[in-house]
């Protein structure tokens, strides 16, 4: 396992996607507190900038995967890079919070195509043994994106403007499009058979409304009131469209959501693990910059540098993904990675109130090692089960679980933090320099993270045990 592949522009293309996504993700995470101040909005409203992108990616992945099976992976890449670049340019010139949110939606549409196409391309273009190493390169690019995104987001925000981050996104999108043009010969070598099945437009609409209304309801629930008519209407509408989607899919000849591809308990468990893991990444990435800026009193550029502890350790582990795959099975490595992630969040929960930064760096390093080990193995294992001719839709399926988890994670972590913090603040001192009232909100959020991490670890160990018994 873990055979090192030779150079190709296909690798450059997929690594560009990985770099771009994390550069934008972590750069924006660092910039969010500043954007909130610029538009004078609360964490609840500013989280829409974060979650809108995830909603459109989540809701669009299945649709993008089905379209890519019709138009080919190369054209899927083109659509993704063009949409992401246009969305980035619009975000860079946004005159209002609403315009920025809509621009993020355009980025999300492009993101859906890029994520789905990337995983399908690696699985189709490379052998199973080589794909582990390629996914290792993808993991390295991912963490390099985090490494550059965090400090770049901080430096641009502090010394230029948060708009500079989105201009940088657009340049990376343009480079990605160029790499696809350079990879034309490689894509011509890939076997492509156009999927003749029609796209279920009504099913797409039901799916998008179900996911979108759920995320919007959770985002606004704290302000609207959890028992308010508006909140309950949004939740019931989300459930209604979800039920309609289910019945539509169960009766439609060519379903958008291919349940048969999940592959029983093992497949469902693996998808659930991805869902939980992404909820942890998104929730932590949303909250930690606020903790570092408002409690630890760091500047945006300093926050970006602190994040290097995570991305650097993850990059080192990702670089050796192929070597680790030769030492143990992917299922074992996934379980070890999830256990490390749980330990990291437990460390943060018990030490968050301490002075200094040692515990913060320890947390980020443990998290980096855990996620650096988790993603290459989990991605390779899942995509190896995708049937030929349905790589795009399978990639869309499991990335949908991941990104829905991310969107819900950002919402739920913000809800836990905001609810506890707003309650404590009423009893806190009026001294503006005293931010101790924020600690309970962050602490409760990390307690939730511990519960989620342990749950994912137990699911992984259960799947490993069942697989061992069956063997």
């Amino acid at each position: 396992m873990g055979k090192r592949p030779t150079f190709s522009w296909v690798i450059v293309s997929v690594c560009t996607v990985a770099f771009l996504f994390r550069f934008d993700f972590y750069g924006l995470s660092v910039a969010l507190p500043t954007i909130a101040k610029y538009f004078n909005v609360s964490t609840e409203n500013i989280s829409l900038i974060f979650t809108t992108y995830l909603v459109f990616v989540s809701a669009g992945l299945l649709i993008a995967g089905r379209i890519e099976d019709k138009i080919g992976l190369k054209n899927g890449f083109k659509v993704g890079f063009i949409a992401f670049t246009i969305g980035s340019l619009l975000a860079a010139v946004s005159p209002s919070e609403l315009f920025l949110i809509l621009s993020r939606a355009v980025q999300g549409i492009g993101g859906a195509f890029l994520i789905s196409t990337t995983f399908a391309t690696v699985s189709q273009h490379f052998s199973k043994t080589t794909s582990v190493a390629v996914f290792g390169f993808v993991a390295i690019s991912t963490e390099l994106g985090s490494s550059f995104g965090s400090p770049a987001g901080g430096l641009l925000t502090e010394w230029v403007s948060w708009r500079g981050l989105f201009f940088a996104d657009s340049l990376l999108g343009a480079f990605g499009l160029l790499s696809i043009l350079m990879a034309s010969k490689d894509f011509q070598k890939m076997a492509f058979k156009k999927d003749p099945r029609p796209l279920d437009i009504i099913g797409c609409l039901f799916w998008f409304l179900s996911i979108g209304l759920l995320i919007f309801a959770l985002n606004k629930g704290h302000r609207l009131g959890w028992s308010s008519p508006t909140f309950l209407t949004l939740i019931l509408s989300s459930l209604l469209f979800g039920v309609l989607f289910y019945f539509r899919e169960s009766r439609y000849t060519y379903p958008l959501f291919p349940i048969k591809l999940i592959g029983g308990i093992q497949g469902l468990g693996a998808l659930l693990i991805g869902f939980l893991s992404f909820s942890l990444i998104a929730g932590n990435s949303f909250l930690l910059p606020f903790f570092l800026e408002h409690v630890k009193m760091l500047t945006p550029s300093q926050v970006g540098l602190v994040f290097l502890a995570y991305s650097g350790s993850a990059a080192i582990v990702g670089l050796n993904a192929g070597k680790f795959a030769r030492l143990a099975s992917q299922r074992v490595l996934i379980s070890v990675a999830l256990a490390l992630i749980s330990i990291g969040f437990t460390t943060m929960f018990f030490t968050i109130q301490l002075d200094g930064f040692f515990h913060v760096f320890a947390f980020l390093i443990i998290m980096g090692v855990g996620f650096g080990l988790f993603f290459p193995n989990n991605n390779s294992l899942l995509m190896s089960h995708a049937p030929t001719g349905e790589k795009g839709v399978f990639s869309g399926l499991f990335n949908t679980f991941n990104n829905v988890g991310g969107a819900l994670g950002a919402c739920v972590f913000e809800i836990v933090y905001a609810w506890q913090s707003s309650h404590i603040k009423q009893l806190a001192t009026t001294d503006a320099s005293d931010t101790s009232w924020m600690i309970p909100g962050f602490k409760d959020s990390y307690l939730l993270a511990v519960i989620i991490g342990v749950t994912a670890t137990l699911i992984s160990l259960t799947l490993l045990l069942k697989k061992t018994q069956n063997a």
Side-chain angles (χ1 to χ4, degrees):
M1 295 182 70
K3 181 181 178 181
R4 187 171 295 274
T6 58
F7 172 82
S8 77
W9 278 101
V10 173
I11 297 179
V12 175
S13 299
V14 298
C15 287
T16 299
V17 173
F19 181 92
L20 170 61
F21 270 51
R22 284 302 176 89
F23 180 89
D24 172 78
F25 187 87
Y26 282 98
L28 181 62
S29 295
V30 174
L32 277 177
T34 301
I35 298 175
K37 293 177 184 177
Y38 182 88
F39 289 116
N40 192 28
V41 294
S42 65
T43 56
E44 172 196 309
N45 287 330
I46 207 65
S47 67
L48 276 177
I49 296 173
F50 198 79
T51 56
T52 294
Y53 172 80
L54 291 174
V55 166
F56 273 80
V57 170
S58 304
L61 274 167
L62 288 176
I63 302 170
R66 184 65 75 189
I67 292 175
E68 285 156 11
D69 286 335
K70 291 178 174 296
I71 66 176
L73 296 174
K74 178 182 176 182
N75 290 327
F77 266 122
K78 287 181 179 179
V79 172
F81 277 123
I82 290 172
F84 192 92
T85 302
I86 292 174
S88 299
L89 289 172
L90 292 174
V93 298
S94 295
S96 67
E97 176 199 3
L98 176 60
F99 194 95
L100 179 55
I101 291 172
L102 294 176
S103 301
R104 291 288 288 170
V106 177
Q107 280 187 305
I109 294 171
F113 276 90
L114 290 176
I115 293 176
S116 180
T117 307
T118 293
F119 286 87
T121 298
V122 174
S123 180
Q124 181 169 325
H125 188 65
F126 301 98
S127 67
K128 182 177 180 180
T129 54
T130 305
S131 69
V132 177
V134 176
F135 275 122
F137 291 149
V138 171
I140 295 169
S141 301
T142 295
E143 302 315 329
L144 285 175
S146 305
S147 300
F148 283 96
S150 298
L155 290 170
L156 287 171
T157 299
E158 187 174 347
W159 297 104
V160 183
S161 169
W162 56 266
R163 300 178 187 276
L165 174 66
F166 293 108
F167 279 120
D169 282 347
S170 66
L171 291 176
L172 288 170
F175 174 79
L177 184 60
L178 176 62
S179 72
I180 291 299
L181 298 177
M182 297 295 293
S184 293
K185 291 183 178 179
D186 291 317
F187 278 103
Q188 288 174 359
K189 297 177 183 178
M190 296 185 194
F192 171 64
K193 182 179 180 181
K194 182 178 179 180
D195 188 349
R197 295 171 294 183
L199 182 65
D200 182 11
I201 302 299
I202 296 177
C204 292
L205 179 62
F206 288 161
W207 170 250
F208 180 83
L209 290 174
S210 177
I211 296 298
L213 289 173
L214 175 62
I215 302 300
F216 185 75
L218 292 175
N219 181 266
K220 294 297 183 181
H222 183 69
R223 181 175 64 84
L224 295 172
W226 301 108
S227 59
S228 67
T230 303
F231 174 78
L232 294 176
T233 299
L234 289 170
I235 289 294
L236 290 174
S237 298
S238 172
L239 292 174
L240 174 61
F241 283 114
V243 170
L244 290 173
F245 175 73
Y246 172 78
F247 281 107
R248 173 77 179 181
E249 291 293 285
S250 63
R251 290 165 171 75
Y252 194 68
T253 306
Y254 307 109
L256 180 68
F257 194 100
I259 298 177
K260 65 177 182 178
L261 295 183
I262 292 179
I265 297 298
Q266 288 286 336
L268 183 61
L271 290 174
L272 183 57
I273 288 171
F275 174 93
L276 295 174
S277 300
F278 264 73
S279 72
L280 292 175
I281 287 181
N284 181 63
S285 298
F286 176 74
L287 280 185
L288 191 58
F290 285 93
F291 170 75
L292 294 175
E293 285 198 31
H294 296 316
V295 177
K296 295 299 185 180
M297 300 300 178
L298 298 184
T299 64
S301 59
Q302 290 172 332
V303 172
L305 292 175
V306 169
F307 264 88
L308 285 174
Y310 166 82
S311 54
S313 56
I316 292 172
V317 174
L319 182 63
N320 294 280
K323 295 180 181 178
F324 289 124
R326 290 193 292 270
L327 298 175
S329 71
Q330 291 176 323
R331 296 180 188 279
V332 170
L333 293 174
I334 290 169
S335 297
V336 171
L338 291 170
L340 285 172
I341 292 166
S342 301
I343 292 171
F345 278 114
T346 302
T347 301
M348 191 63 171
F349 170 72
F350 283 110
T351 62
I352 194 170
Q353 72 279 2
L354 298 180
D355 295 330
F357 291 92
F358 177 80
H359 62 291
V360 177
F361 282 109
F363 162 67
L364 289 172
I365 291 172
I366 295 172
M367 293 290 290
V369 173
F371 280 115
L373 186 63
F374 173 78
F375 282 116
N377 289 285
N378 190 63
N379 294 342
S380 177
L381 181 63
L382 275 170
M383 288 306 300
S384 67
H385 297 298
T388 302
E390 293 189 292
K391 298 288 187 181
V393 70
F394 184 85
S395 174
L397 175 64
F398 98 80
N399 277 294
T400 294
F401 272 77
N402 291 348
N403 284 277
V404 170
L408 290 176
C411 283
V412 173
F413 275 57
E414 193 277 332
I415 288 169
V416 172
Y417 166 76
W419 183 85
Q420 180 68 290
S421 297
S422 62
H423 173 70
I424 298 296
K425 188 177 182 180
Q426 296 175 5
L427 307 175
T429 176
T430 56
D431 183 1
S433 63
D434 182 8
T435 58
S436 60
W437 57 269
M438 295 182 178
I439 296 295
F442 287 116
K443 196 173 180 68
D444 282 3
S445 297
Y446 282 107
L447 175 59
L448 173 63
V450 172
I451 295 172
I452 294 174
V454 171
T455 300
T457 304
L458 291 176
I459 294 173
S460 181
L461 289 173
T462 301
L463 295 177
L464 176 62
L465 181 61
K466 285 184 175 294
K467 190 69 176 180
T468 303
Q469 290 175 342
N470 293 336

